[in-house]
Amino acid sequence: MPRTFRVGVIGHTGRGDYGHAVDVACRRAPNVEIVAVADPVEAGRRQAQQRTGARNAYAAYRDMLAKEKLDIVAICPRHIDQHHDMLLAAAEAGCHVYMEKPFCRTPAEADAVVRAFEMRHLKLGIAHISQYSPVLAAVKAAVADGAIGDLLEIRGRGKEDARGGGEDLWVLGSHVFGLMRSIAGGNAASCYATVTQGGEPVAKRHVRDGAEGIGPLAGDHVQAQYSFPRGVTGYFASRKGMAGQPTRFAVQVFGSKGVIELESGYGVKADLLRDSSWSPGRSKKTWEVITSAGIGRPEPRTDGNYEGGHVAAITDLLDAIEKDRDTKCGCRDAAAIIEMIAAAFESHRLGRPAELPLRSRANPLTLLT
């Protein structure tokens, strides 16, 4: 019989809640039993217990970890300032983790979590749901097969709404960087970036406490360039109040013979333009759809939503535990994404390209003078 995994859910009503319904997704995952929930807010705790069908409920997540024999902990709150402590507590209890993103607030926090998990041979999955999309797999196959020729650059933008700039870099840039790393096939080696606030270069006076527990934050306009293996360049930009309709929250993959555009998300379609000029207005070429089934084929899947992405990620985590392999987006992947975010601020602080891994492991904005 397949193993049944005992899962404990951590939420925090009013401080990140349960993320993008991570608790409900856990209930849909195969071979999972949610045995307990933890939430310091009584009303939220009671509602979560009802949603998940958990037998037990705790005000303190550390009590749940001590009393329940859990295989997996779901760390659900969106507020990132809680993640480091929750992750280390889960590791100390010997639990694998599925969690809401972003990973941690600084490279130093990420380092500590990577050490704690690898020392105990624990697995982590994180809700960068694009990493689990079967459409991403089809896009990577198309790139590898030469559909756009030699890979040259990858461009991405955030949603550029009221969070545009530094907050967009954290909250939505993390998805973009996950896609960049997957398509480029490795870690970024350097970053050159500028960060401005109201048209002025960000300085110490601009730094404030960011939303959702991000910590020190600044900038309403970010422009960042990353160098990847084999001469591939990545670009990320976000400017507050410049949102497009429809959204530009996506990555565009440019090659010597064409372009692929892939939205961020699980099960979203991609499009291919076989055009070396990158300009369908000049070439008169038309876009071809890419689905999970491949180029020009109808999409056979019906699970293309946020919850479906969570279920795919949790299923991948269960398989990684059983087979003792890495997840599709594990500790080191999540840490590398945080490194790319921090590198934009560090390059701005230094006024030159920042090499990765970063020498400083602190939030660069705390080092501004």
Side-chain angles (χ1 to χ4, degrees), residues 182-204:
S182 290
I183 295 167
N187 291 331
S190 68
C191 170
Y192 179 70
T194 57
V195 186
T196 58
Q197 183 79 41
E200 298 180 356
V202 158
K204 186 176 182 179

Side-chain angles (χ1 to χ4, degrees), residues 4-32:
T4 298
F5 293 86
R6 291 170 55 85
V7 174
V9 170
I10 300 175
H12 194 154
T13 300
R15 285 207 63 222
D17 302 306
Y18 290 80
H20 290 89
V22 174
D23 57 331
V24 176
C26 287
R27 190 174 182 181
R28 281 193 53 199
N31 306 324
V32 159

Side-chain angles (χ1 to χ4, degrees), residues 47-111:
Q47 292 168 6
Q49 189 174 13
Q50 292 172 350
R51 284 195 305 270
T52 61
R55 293 191 301 273
N56 300 318
Y58 298 83
Y61 69 83
R62 293 183 187 276
D63 290 342
M64 179 181 71
L65 293 173
K67 295 178 182 179
E68 302 283 351
K69 294 181 179 180
L70 302 173
D71 299 304
I72 299 171
V73 174
I75 297 177
C76 304
R78 284 172 57 94
H79 287 202
I80 188 174
D81 57 333
Q82 302 171 88
H83 290 178
H84 173 260
D85 290 349
M86 290 176 176
L87 283 161
L88 291 185
E92 289 166 5
C95 299
H96 307 280
V97 167
Y98 181 67
M99 66 178 295
E100 185 59 271
K101 58 85 191 169
F103 186 43
C104 295
R105 294 174 295 180
T106 65
E109 287 189 348
D111 292 343

